Amino acid sequence: MAPQNLGRLRSFIIGMTGAVDRLADDEEALIDAARGHLAALISEDDWLGDAFAKPHPKYYQQYLLHCDPLERFSLVSFVWGPGQRTPIHDHGVWGLVGMLRGAEFSQAYSQRGQALEKGERRRLEPGDIEILRPSLGDIHAVSNAYEDRVSISIHLYGANIGAVRRRVFDPQTGAEKPFVSGYASNVVPNLWG
Ligand SMILES: [Fe+2]
């Protein structure tokens, strides 16, 4: 991989901090701005440090890259080992998923009474962005599209996502359980290093 271009991550965080300052009352406009900043961030795979790209043999990893001090947004690298997948879950806040390396599937679901109904299944390739908004239905399950290699997506959320009380769903019964994801590591990239 090319040398680590932290300037790209720094520019993203500066841009997003300005956007949440300016557009706090307009979610639509904020998501629009966020999409532009995320598109620039994932346009090149030259900035993510190895410590935040490391797969775990058993579990997909969620490395915090930055959390706004006022918890208005957070940025997380999701590292999918071969064949790894999430349970069916929601987010509770807006989110954008940008594909950086490899590919993933996002299988949408909607609630019909107690049960879950399958919706669209989308494949994300590097540079693609999926937008999740609770007001439009934000239940899905994500999986690595590859059984033999690591994939990495960069997720941007409208809160400190590791601390948000969310839900996971049983695929058979649709039964809900609360969960809080946390993060996989205790360090974040040194933007000024
Ligand atoms: Fe998700």
Side-chain angles (χ1 to χ4, degrees):
M1 201 204 297
Q4 215 184 310
N5 179 8
L6 270 174
R8 193 180 301 283
L9 179 57
R10 197 160 56 226
S11 297
F12 170 87
I13 290 164
I14 292 167
M16 263 314 289
T17 304
V20 290
D21 273 341
R22 249 184 4 260
L23 303 169
D25 299 328
D26 188 345
E27 187 176 285
E28 194 102 19
L30 177 57
I31 289 174
D32 237 36
R35 178 198 257 275
H37 292 302
L38 185 61
L41 180 66
I42 62 169
S43 66
E44 297 286 344
D45 186 2
D46 63 355
W47 55 272
L48 185 66
D50 291 344
F52 307 98
K54 225 174 104 176
H56 182 279
K58 269 209 180 122
Y59 310 106
Y60 67 91
Q61 298 289 281
Q62 304 166 72
Y63 297 108
L64 179 66
L65 301 177
H66 180 76
C67 184
D68 171 62
L70 302 181
E71 297 179 272
R72 296 169 298 181
F73 72 94
S74 56
L75 185 73
V76 182
S77 66
F78 272 65
V79 180
W80 311 95
Q84 289 176 352
R85 59 184 57 241
T86 67
I88 303 171
H89 64 276
D90 73 355
H91 309 83
V93 295
W94 62 261
L96 279 75
V97 177
M99 205 70 219
L100 183 71
R101 204 177 294 175
E104 71 190 32
F105 291 114
S106 173
Q107 171 65 59
Y109 291 86
S110 53
Q111 284 181 300
R112 290 277 174 272
Q114 298 288 321
L116 287 177
E117 202 170 86
K118 266 190 180 175
E120 193 194 347
R121 184 195 198 216
R122 216 182 138 189
R123 183 183 171 110
L124 300 181
E125 299 286 348
D128 289 344
I129 292 176
E130 179 182 30
I131 297 177
L132 299 156
R133 294 181 72 174
S135 57
L136 304 177
D138 70 332
I139 301 173
H140 73 165
V142 179
S143 55
N144 191 344
Y146 293 103
E147 296 293 332
D148 59 354
R149 61 187 264 209
V150 170
S151 293
I152 301 178
S153 46
I154 305 299
H155 299 211
L156 173 64
Y157 300 98
N160 174 13
I161 194 66
V164 174
R165 203 175 151 84
R166 302 154 68 187
R167 298 176 296 172
V168 290
F169 301 85
D170 183 291
Q172 256 69 55
T173 65
E176 305 175 12
K177 269 199 304 197
F179 89 108
V180 176
S181 68
Y183 298 112
S185 71
N186 296 321
V187 294
V188 291
N190 178 3
L191 292 179
W192 312 100

